[in-house]
Amino acid sequence: MPYSLAVVVPAYNETEVLERFHGRLAAVFATMDVEASVIYVDDGSADDTWAIITRLAASDSRVAGLRLSRNFGKEAALTAGLDAADADAVVVIDADLQDPPELIPQLVARLREGNDVVYATRDDRAGETRFKKFTSAGFYRLMERLSDNPMPRDTGDFRVLSRRAVAALRGLRERQRFMKGLFAWIGYRQVAFRYHRDARAAGATKWNYWRLTNLAIEGITSFSAAPLRMATWLGLSTAALAFLYGIWVILKVLVWGDPVRGYPTLLVVILFLGGAQLMALGVIGEYVGRTYSETKRRPLYYVEDSRGPVSPFTPP
């Protein structure tokens, strides 16, 4: 049987760039001696993204499309695409052309050397502010220290996976999904491929700082219990300091007869302890909320419509 390749492309309001992306992807397919296909996943777009996917599927037999019933988020859209993919190699790539589709043959070549995951690591991030580059680098380094299964630095979703790696990901049906962490968690033989990331070709990014912050919290709480341990150590340290300070106050009264005073100090201590307690409760609440969400066991997504040669995956 010929070697098969499926490309999974999550899309949310990508009218301005989707046809340009498909043109470049089709040119890449023409250079490869594989049985190639692409699965576009419309994550509840409010523009003409689905109409474009429908036209592409009608004009190109290699194109399949899934339309989710609403905007479930990029992680769910990626999951839907991976669930539907049936190929020896599966590439995950965004439609904004920041990740050049022309690199796909090189990624697949590295995969066929015996690897299970070849992830694209960015040497440079064109079109992004210094602040965003700084915060992104800080997040990856923090995850490297906190997580039991560190993610590779400066690596997004752009990668190629073997059939057994995709099968392993299909078995992970947790509701709070952080795909970069899940890609690393499954293990197998993973290698890096370094590249230069381009600026976004058209349109605006859907990831503002609020959403990126929430994604970072999702990643940390999904793959590390370190925040809970930090809250514990903060409580122990505060109690130890309070105990030592209490002994000092008693000694001053007994030895030097110094009267107990200092209302401003007392107020600062109370406010500090109240803030520390609220922070610890907030950390605990994040984990309790995620546990609550998991216990409901709701489906990760619903497919409203499909086009082309694709069958939506029915999870166990």
Side-chain angles (χ1 to χ4, degrees):
M1 293 180 62
Y3 192 82
S4 57
L5 167 69
V7 179
V8 173
V9 186
Y12 178 64
N13 293 341
E14 298 290 2
T15 298
E16 297 181 52
V17 73
L18 194 58
E19 289 181 296
R20 193 187 315 178
F21 170 86
H22 185 71
R24 287 176 58 175
L25 182 64
V28 171
F29 284 170
T31 67
M32 302 180 68
D33 185 21
V34 296
E35 188 179 277
S37 63
V38 56
I39 302 172
Y40 292 106
V41 183
D42 179 12
D43 186 25
S45 299
D47 60 3
D48 293 331
T49 296
W50 181 243
I52 294 174
I53 294 174
T54 300
R55 290 201 301 270
L56 292 175
S59 60
D60 190 339
S61 61
R62 300 169 298 183
V63 176
L66 295 174
R67 185 181 191 183
L68 304 189
S69 61
R70 64 170 176 85
N71 178 232
F72 286 90
K74 182 184 177 182
E75 312 300 288
L78 276 177
T79 302
L82 291 171
D83 286 345
D86 181 18
D88 298 313
V90 179
V91 172
V92 175
I93 186 172
D94 292 337
D96 56 18
L97 291 175
Q98 287 185 282
D99 302 322
E102 290 78 11
L103 296 179
I104 290 177
Q106 298 177 58
L107 292 175
V108 173
R110 292 294 306 276
L111 189 80
R112 300 185 74 171
E113 292 173 359
N115 300 302
D116 286 287
V117 180
V118 182
Y119 52 86
T121 298
R122 300 176 287 243
D123 281 328
D124 187 30
R125 301 161 64 103
E128 295 185 359
T129 64
R130 289 184 179 179
F131 180 72
K132 187 172 182 180
K133 292 178 182 178
F134 173 78
T135 54
S136 177
F139 167 71
Y140 283 110
R141 282 147 186 80
L142 179 64
M143 284 297 298
E144 189 175 51
R145 289 182 174 273
L146 296 182
S147 178
D148 295 331
N149 299 93
M151 299 182 309
R153 292 184 180 185
D154 306 316
T155 301
D157 295 318
F158 184 30
R159 65 192 66 214
V160 60
L161 305 103
S162 69
R163 187 182 291 274
R164 71 171 178 174
V166 174
L169 287 167
R170 285 179 181 167
L172 305 178
R173 308 311 293 182
E174 57 198 66
R175 272 62 190 163
Q176 304 295 326
R177 303 184 72 77
F178 182 66
M179 294 303 296
K180 297 177 184 65
L182 295 179
F183 288 139
W185 186 88
I186 62 172
Y188 297 120
R189 186 174 179 181
Q190 304 197 14
V191 295
F193 176 86
R194 308 196 70 86
Y195 77 112
H196 169 81
R197 196 181 198 208
D198 297 330
R200 185 179 177 89
T205 179
K206 316 304 184 301
W207 293 95
N208 54 36
Y209 285 111
W210 174 252
R211 293 189 67 185
L212 288 171
T213 301
N214 287 333
L215 183 65
I217 294 174
E218 190 79 54
I220 293 171
T221 54
S222 294
F223 288 91
S224 174
L228 290 173
R229 289 192 291 268
M230 291 171 63
T232 300
W233 283 109
L234 176 62
L236 291 173
S237 301
T238 303
L241 289 174
F243 179 74
L244 294 174
Y245 183 70
I247 293 175
W248 169 245
V249 170
I250 293 172
L251 287 175
K252 284 204 303 179
V253 174
L254 295 178
V255 177
W256 294 286
D258 190 15
V260 178
R261 58 180 181 268
Y263 173 75
T265 303
L266 180 63
L267 184 61
V268 169
V269 170
I270 291 174
L271 290 175
F272 171 75
L273 289 175
Q277 289 172 340
L278 289 174
M279 185 181 72
L281 286 174
V283 171
I284 295 170
E286 287 288 339
Y287 284 92
V288 171
R290 278 154 176 72
T291 303
Y292 172 65
S293 178
E294 293 294 330
T295 58
K296 290 185 287 188
R297 299 192 60 80
R298 291 175 178 169
L300 300 178
Y301 58 86
Y302 280 112
V303 175
E304 179 181 337
D305 200 358
S306 64
R307 291 288 187 275
V310 63
S311 298
F313 174 71
T314 302

